[in-house]
Amino acid sequence: MWILYLSLTVLLLILTLLPKIQHSHWVFRVPEFGKIQITFFTLFTIILGFFVGSSEYLWYYQGLLVLIFIHHSVILIKYTPLYPVKKFTQKYQSSDRIHFISANVYQFNREYDRFIQLIEKYRPEMFLTMESNGDWEQALRKLEKDYPYQHKVTLENTYGMHFYSKIRMEESRTHYFVADDIPSIEAHLKTEDGFSFVFFGVHPPPPSPTEEETSKERDGDLLSTAKRVIEIKKPVIVVGDFNNVAWSKSSILFRKTSHLIDPRIGRSFVSTFHAKYKLLRFPIDLMFHSEEIFIDDLKTLENFGSDHLPVYCEFFIDHEQEEKQEKKSIMRPLKKKLKPKK
């Protein structure tokens, strides 16, 4: 049992230190995904330490494990209801509730009807599919009557994307920020009650031994999206399979560059992958939004045969918040002009 305890301690230390090394190779980036599991295994190893027998070095190892546990817990607690965040209530100036579903359907999943039943059950105003190829596009045609606005990027390389909306789409475009076979969707929408917003769908490639050796392409795609977001003067939502976790440095850089909000903070992890293995499930299907958008509900839905669980979101847009932001931007230069000279 001592050998098991010692081996777990060394492994947990390595998995904690590897992401601290600023290198883009997947070996250094993949341990970031398992922070939740690492935290639980650290707690398990601490408990195991009380049963391994006496050793003159035991309490040094226990102290190290406690430090590892605290390190991960301080980061993860932000993504739980224990972390205090300001709560907002819907006002009369705000939009009607809007709902969307984002789902990596897994290109080789043939259970099209289960996904269609999911959409018919929850009836979102919008939904985004990733890894959707020609077969998926054909299967989803039965929904086009209910979703007259569409943007389709049909690919057979597991990076196809399809966006369907009941809300009027004023314009849309496909971006290829870092590669000509890795698309992102930008859709400008306007609700019946006059609220305009922009929906981004993203799906950058993961750093892994089977796909991209490094995270450079993923991080470059996300940073390019962030730079595009700050050019837009409307409320924005960015949704998709980021192949990343919210606490990674590249996700934090994306959030800071785009000036968007991570709705997981103060809420929950919303873990999506792998759908079949609950204990090995990572929160890699992310969402970020601008200040004018307020999230009422964010959760995973039932599995429909994919390796990802779908993400369901309910939100509203607040014009009053937009006006506040406009006033801030107007007042800043005005204050500078009125500032008395010394």
Side-chain angles (χ1 to χ4, degrees):
M1 190 174 286
W2 171 254
I3 298 299
L4 174 63
Y5 171 80
L6 192 60
S7 300
L8 284 172
T9 301
V10 172
L11 177 62
L12 291 165
L13 178 63
I14 292 171
L15 292 175
T16 299
L17 293 177
L18 279 175
K20 303 296 180 187
I21 300 171
Q22 295 305 302
H23 197 289
S24 61
H25 195 276
W26 67 266
V27 169
F28 301 95
R29 302 279 61 88
V30 167
E32 293 175 319
F33 290 57
K35 188 174 289 290
I36 299 170
Q37 288 79 7
I38 291 169
T39 305
F40 280 106
F41 269 107
T42 302
L43 181 60
F44 167 79
T45 308
I46 292 171
I47 295 170
L48 180 65
F50 293 108
F51 298 95
V52 297
S54 60
S55 170
E56 59 179 313
Y57 298 110
L58 175 62
W59 293 108
Y60 291 103
Y61 292 123
Q62 288 288 80
L64 176 62
L65 288 167
V66 168
L67 288 176
I68 292 172
F69 180 78
I70 292 171
H71 166 73
H72 292 299
S73 298
V74 167
I75 295 171
L76 292 179
I77 199 169
K78 290 180 65 177
Y79 303 93
T80 72
L82 298 175
Y83 190 79
V85 292
K86 189 175 180 180
K87 304 295 183 182
F88 293 90
T89 56
Q90 188 169 6
K91 299 180 176 67
Y92 70 91
Q93 300 99 332
S94 58
S95 71
D96 292 334
R97 302 294 177 96
I98 303 170
H99 311 78
F100 73 78
I101 289 175
S102 169
N104 183 323
V105 296
Y106 182 55
Q107 180 173 303
F108 306 104
N109 174 22
R110 296 290 181 262
E111 298 189 58
Y112 311 117
D113 288 340
R114 287 180 67 185
F115 180 72
I116 292 169
Q117 289 166 10
L118 187 82
I119 297 299
E120 291 174 340
K121 176 181 177 181
Y122 290 95
R123 299 184 180 279
E125 284 75 23
M126 310 172 293
F127 69 90
L128 172 74
T129 62
M130 292 155 284
E131 291 201 27
S132 41
N133 61 356
D135 291 337
W136 271 96
E137 182 180 318
Q138 179 68 29
L140 294 174
R141 281 182 181 165
K142 62 175 66 177
L143 293 172
E144 291 183 3
K145 183 179 178 181
D146 294 326
Y147 293 87
Y149 303 99
Q150 304 135 24
H151 187 102
K152 304 174 182 179
V153 188
T154 308
L155 298 171
E156 302 295 333
N157 63 349
T158 73
Y159 288 97
M161 301 179 77
H162 291 70
F163 177 67
Y164 296 82
S165 175
K166 295 179 180 179
I167 300 171
R168 182 161 63 91
M169 190 186 301
E170 295 185 318
E171 64 171 303
S172 64
R173 66 186 73 173
T174 304
H175 295 287
Y176 295 93
F177 288 122
V178 295
D180 58 9
D181 58 350
I182 308 291
S184 298
I185 291 175
E186 175 186 335
H188 293 247
L189 306 164
K190 189 168 186 179
T191 64
E192 290 184 0
D193 50 353
F195 289 77
S196 296
F197 67 99
V198 181
F199 185 99
F200 275 88
V202 300
H203 184 200
S208 76
T210 57
E211 293 202 42
E212 296 297 322
E213 188 173 296
T214 72
S215 65
K216 289 180 180 178
E217 195 162 308
R218 179 199 67 187
D219 298 345
D221 191 273
L222 294 177
L223 188 58
S224 297
T225 302
K227 290 177 179 178
R228 172 58 188 152
V229 164
I230 59 176
E231 295 173 355
I232 298 171
K233 307 305 178 185
K234 297 179 186 177
V236 174
I237 295 177
V238 183
V239 177
D241 177 2
F242 278 59
N243 279 310
N244 207 357
V245 283
W247 48 79
S248 74
K249 288 191 175 181
S250 55
S251 283
I252 294 170
L253 177 61
F254 170 84
R255 176 166 55 83
K256 290 181 176 180
T257 303
S258 62
H259 307 299
L260 297 181
I261 296 167
D262 183 354
R264 281 171 164 76
I265 294 175
R267 191 181 300 271
S268 65
F269 299 122
V270 194
S271 298
T272 55
F273 177 87
H274 194 287
K276 294 180 181 178
Y277 310 114
K278 193 169 185 178
L279 294 178
L280 295 174
R281 193 171 290 170
F282 312 127
I284 64 173
D285 291 85
L286 304 183
M287 171 190 173
F288 295 87
H289 62 88
S290 55
E291 292 178 321
E292 304 87 358
I293 290 171
F294 298 86
I295 308 302
D296 266 349
D297 195 12
L298 181 66
K299 62 184 180 182
T300 56
L301 300 178
E302 55 266 31
N303 189 12
F304 58 91
S306 175
D307 53 353
H308 288 245
L309 293 176
V311 175
Y312 174 87
C313 179
E314 177 183 339
F315 69 94
F316 63 89
I317 306 167
D318 193 332
H319 266 324
E320 183 181 335
Q321 181 74 7
E322 291 181 44
E323 289 167 7
K324 286 178 183 176
Q325 295 304 316
E326 288 172 11
K327 286 177 183 176
K328 284 181 184 178
S329 61
I330 292 169
M331 289 302 294
R332 284 191 192 109
L334 187 60
K335 285 179 181 177
K336 287 179 182 178
K337 289 179 182 178
L338 295 177
K339 189 177 180 180
K341 294 181 180 179
K342 293 181 179 179

